[in-house]
Amino acid sequence: MAEAALKAADDTQDLTDGFHLIIDALKLNDIKTIYGVPGIPITDFGRMAQAEGIRVLSFRHEQNAGYAAAIAGFLTKKPGVCLTVSAPGFLNGLTALAHATTNCFPMILISGSSEREIVDLQQGDYEEMDQLAIAKTMCKAAFRVLHAADIGIGVARAYRAAVSGRPGGVYLDLPAKLFGQVMDAAKGKKSLVKVIDPAPAQIPAPAAVKRALDVLKAAKKPLIILGKGAAYAQADEAIKTLVEKSGIPFLPMSMAKGLLPDTHPQCAGAARSTVLKDSDVVMMIGARLNWLLSHGKGKTWGDAPKKFVQIDIEPREMDSNVEIAAPVVGDIGSCVAALIDGMGSSWTKAPSDWMGAVTAKRDENVAKMAPRLMNNNNPMDYHGALGVLRTIVKERPDAILVNEGANTLDLTRGVIDMYKPRKRLDVGTWGVMGIGMGQAIAAAVETGKPVLCIEGDSAFGFSGMEVETICRYNLPVCIVIFNNDGIYRGTDQNKASSDPATTVFVKGARYDKMMEAFGGVGVHATTPDELKRAVNAAMDSGKPTLINAAIDPAAGSESGRIGNLNPQSQLKKK
Ligand code: OXT
Ligand code: ADP
Ligand code: MG
């Protein structure tokens, strides 16, 4: 059809089409990478985008491409783009789009879709689905473009919606017919839109800043909680200045670790329970009082009255769980700068007896953990394995750590200190298994840095086929699988039938062989020493590597550190 239209056009007229307008619109807005899976109707689009200089990474499953796009958004402050085919491909990508929205990461899911006329009459088109209607319920914004002349506006709207205010996921629906639509090239060029100042600074009200400083000034035991919004904001220097000038201990949420080093004298990561319970004023910077912070109430937070100061770009976040005494609405860079300004040159640091108590608790916990990290148990336990990985990360602070699992997640988060911002990527707000390989690929592609993945064997299984993708693009990714033969533990037994228990996998599986199948390096490690050698070799060589670290199947606990969230039956066990 496109060809017929082109033939019919005047030979002297320069034409463009939907394919090229989408590519031009993305390039104009500095989108350099697309993560996706090809197929009808976007196969040619991928080829053309590649030919036009956009890097197009083809995955084995759209969900992994989507997780890659989502974390690319987190790392770059620009929307990560995922490209999918209609219905099933779209739905596979949608999980990642919802995940991006939940985590406040900017992402655009672009999906081809079937013909509107047929879909709306439900006449059974190829991969028929009303994708726009479905996407709308699961992301920040959703748009459809029907005319080539609107592509520029469509891409611009999607871009701005993804990154402005609270960042999130945006869906852009492109029906198959659009790609082939032709129009005059000059008019097409004119229709493109470069998004100017897509995430404008949002300056906090001076009265809100003063109120926050008054609350902080009166505090005897203040605490700062840094969340992944603070890491996203890339206001690293300002945050460091605020923390150090205030003398207030800080608690990093998982993906905010490294914003200031975990070894910083004011870091309270290893005194978490103490600071949450005993603090009297808590300033949240880009963190929400959701389940990860026990909703700001209950026994985690102790009985003493507490006042909250919250810095967030989303006004409706305030009072979402408890009263916020001093809401500061704006972008973190502007808010933190205004606070520093308001503190002036004579600000009195937080009381030293409070910082002293926090340090004492932190040192006690660190000392308690230290001997466990040195153990050379055979089979390995989590601490023995993490002891060596902790040193490797310390020696290679620029490497990016990707981490998922239950015990594998919780213990890695506690044991491995981070030293630089945005170096720790993980399961995020939903605790999603399956982010691993997508995040690893995007981290390597977007930053050019080596990536170390520490994966539970179950967690890895959700995206494991992407080891082929890692080998195909020859990415510097080293995957360590903590293989304890199952979900949480490999020791469960089913007494009712010959089927295995629901949480156990094939005993002694060799995940390293998967990597060898695609030309990467596979290693089976049974001791911390072997693990250390293999990881160092992988990080030095930059070759795709998978290390199957055999962990004692009895070493883990149910659901890691969140076993309390499992509902319990009130009926007596038979
Ligand atoms: O202060 P106290 O005394 O309390 O001590 C704390 C710190 O101060 C101290 N600490 C330290 N001490 C010494 N030194 C240092 N450096 C140090 N640092 C800290 O340690 C303690 C603990 O600190 P922490 O961790 O900060 O504190 P805490 O209390 O744990 O914090 C609370 C939370 C809630 C903030 C934290 O626990 C947290 O962030 N949790 C996130 C949990 C999470 O998201 N988990 C993932 C989901 S679990 C489950 O759902 C799984 N599934 C189901 C499933 C999922 N998720 N997704 C999909 C798509 N489908 C299904 C599955 C299938 S997990 C899973 C697979 C699991 O099996 P694997 O094989 O993959 O993994 P294994 O378990 O390894 O087998
Ligand atoms: P964590 O899980 O680390 O606690 P959350 O994802 O719960 O972090 O919270 C991140 C918060 O950061 C969100 O409420 C979001 O609105 C906010 N946020 C994201 N980017 C910015 C920014 N640039 N300025 C201000 N707030 C931001
Ligand atoms: Mg496991």
Side-chain angles (χ1 to χ4, degrees):
M1 194 179 116
E3 258 172 46
L6 280 167
K7 270 207 190 93
D10 184 336
D11 277 352
T12 59
Q13 192 188 2
D14 257 350
L15 295 175
T16 186
D17 63 6
F19 286 108
H20 290 92
L21 285 166
I22 302 162
I23 293 165
D24 292 346
L26 293 174
K27 282 175 72 175
L28 183 66
N29 285 293
D30 212 22
I31 300 285
K32 296 189 163 68
T33 311
I34 294 176
Y35 303 91
V37 176
I40 298 168
I42 46 110
T43 315
D44 265 352
F45 175 74
R47 290 190 185 113
M48 290 180 202
Q50 191 174 41
E52 297 282 336
I54 294 183
R55 190 158 192 208
V56 184
L57 287 117
S58 271
F59 280 63
R60 305 299 294 258
H61 191 289
E62 291 87 352
Q63 197 174 103
N64 306 320
Y67 289 140
I71 209 68
F74 170 74
L75 288 168
T76 64
K77 278 187 106 174
K78 288 198 284 192
V81 174
C82 176
L83 178 68
T84 63
V85 304
S86 339
F90 156 78
L91 285 173
N92 286 343
L94 194 56
T95 307
L97 189 69
H99 158 84
T101 308
T102 299
N103 284 277
C104 315
F105 300 158
M107 166 180 171
I108 302 174
L109 174 66
I110 300 180
S111 184
S113 59
S114 306
E115 300 312 339
R116 290 252 37 87
E117 297 84 345
I118 306 179
V119 172
D120 288 350
L121 277 170
Q122 298 177 24
Q123 292 174 312
D125 201 3
Y126 169 72
E127 295 190 345
E128 174 178 300
M129 173 174 273
D130 189 353
Q131 296 171 196
L132 184 67
I134 289 165
K136 265 186 189 157
T137 63
M138 297 202 200
C139 59
K140 188 177 171 191
F143 306 101
R144 176 188 291 137
V145 183
L146 290 174
H147 303 294
D150 291 331
I151 286 171
I153 288 292
V155 169
R157 297 214 73 187
Y159 194 118
R160 196 177 282 282
V163 294
S164 59
R166 170 181 274 175
V170 177
Y171 176 59
L172 189 60
D173 190 85
L174 305 180
K177 245 193 249 173
L178 178 78
F179 292 89
Q181 271 182 32
V182 290
M183 69 181 287
D184 176 75
K187 282 194 186 137
K189 192 169 179 203
K190 235 173 133 195
S191 73
L192 300 182
V193 176
K194 175 149 179 70
V195 182
I196 312 291
D197 195 11
Q202 285 185 226
I203 314 290
V209 174
K210 180 172 180 317
R211 191 186 299 118
L213 288 172
D214 287 346
V215 173
L216 282 176
K217 208 178 282 172
K220 301 225 160 14
K221 298 177 173 183
L223 171 68
I224 291 174
I225 297 184
L226 300 173
K228 58 173 137 32
Y232 171 80
Q234 298 193 13
D236 308 339
E237 272 311 306
I239 289 171
K240 180 169 181 281
T241 304
L242 177 70
V243 167
E244 291 181 347
K245 190 168 177 179
S246 69
I248 299 175
F250 69 92
L251 177 68
M253 298 300 286
S254 193
M255 281 176 59
K257 275 167 75 84
L259 203 41
L260 283 87
D262 283 333
T263 48
H264 189 284
Q266 286 168 252
C267 182
R272 185 177 196 271
S273 305
T274 303
V275 288
L276 292 183
K277 264 202 195 78
D278 295 350
S279 52
D280 60 356
V281 167
V282 180
M283 177 157 70
M284 325 274 303
I285 307 184
R288 287 170 285 187
L289 284 170
N290 57 15
W291 72 280
L292 289 155
L293 282 166
S294 309
H295 304 281
K297 54 197 171 195
K299 90 175 182 302
T300 307
W301 291 86
D303 299 327
K306 240 172 259 283
K307 281 191 173 169
F308 288 95
V309 177
Q310 183 159 24
I311 301 180
D312 207 289
I313 203 155
E314 173 56 66
R316 285 178 305 171
E317 188 55 41
M318 307 299 160
D319 308 323
S320 60
N321 284 272
V322 294
E323 179 185 281
I324 301 300
V328 185
V329 175
D331 71 280
I332 286 168
S334 302
C335 293
V336 170
L339 285 171
I340 295 169
D341 207 35
M343 286 163 92
S345 53
S346 55
W347 185 264
T348 313
K349 285 199 175 188
S352 58
D353 57 340
W354 166 236
M355 194 61 244
V358 174
T359 307
K361 183 68 199 172
R362 186 189 69 202
D363 292 350
E364 184 190 319
N365 275 347
V366 170
K368 223 187 285 170
M369 191 196 277
R372 303 188 67 188
L373 301 176
M374 317 271 282
N375 90 63
N376 221 0
N377 290 347
N378 193 347
M380 273 190 285
D381 64 18
Y382 288 94
H383 285 90
L386 286 168
V388 298
L389 297 177
R390 170 188 161 97
T391 307
I392 290 172
V393 171
K394 186 176 180 182
E395 290 165 354
R396 301 169 190 270
D398 284 322
I400 293 186
L401 177 66
V402 171
N403 184 206
E404 59 177 334
N407 295 281
T408 304
L409 174 84
D410 290 340
L411 292 168
T412 303
R413 184 181 62 246
V415 170
I416 297 198
D417 289 330
M418 304 307 299
Y419 299 87
K420 294 194 173 181
R422 295 170 294 283
K423 297 294 184 192
R424 188 188 148 82
L425 311 176
D426 68 25
V427 298
T429 306
W430 268 349
V432 182
M433 298 300 109
I435 45 78
M437 298 306 104
Q439 287 192 347
I441 291 167
V445 166
E446 300 289 341
T447 70
K449 304 284 183 211
V451 179
L452 174 65
C453 302
I454 305 182
E455 300 270 315
D457 52 336
S458 163
F460 172 73
F462 286 74
S463 66
M465 194 62 214
E466 303 297 345
V467 294
E468 188 276 328
T469 313
I470 291 168
C471 288
R472 187 162 19 104
Y473 292 99
N474 194 24
L475 297 172
V477 174
C478 171
I479 305 157
V480 175
I481 297 190
F482 279 6
N483 185 0
N484 64 347
D485 295 345
I487 300 177
Y488 314 137
R489 274 187 305 262
T491 49
D492 261 9
Q493 288 193 342
N494 166 27
K495 297 197 176 88
S497 74
S498 59
D499 279 350
T502 53
T503 54
V504 304
F505 298 152
V506 167
K507 306 266 177 219
R510 292 288 301 274
Y511 292 94
D512 46 314
K513 303 278 183 198
M514 280 176 72
M515 194 55 128
E516 287 174 359
F518 302 109
V521 178
V523 181
H524 179 55
T526 58
T527 65
D529 273 352
E530 284 171 12
L531 178 60
K532 180 177 162 184
R533 267 198 302 278
V535 176
N536 273 323
M539 303 295 276
D540 285 342
S541 72
K543 282 190 194 144
T545 301
L546 192 156
I547 301 158
N548 184 59
I551 299 286
D552 182 354
S557 57
E558 179 99 354
S559 302
R561 284 192 54 88
I562 56 170
N564 59 309
L565 298 182
N566 285 308
Q568 301 289 318
S569 169
Q570 298 306 310
L571 303 177
K572 279 206 182 107
K573 276 195 182 138
K574 279 188 197 151

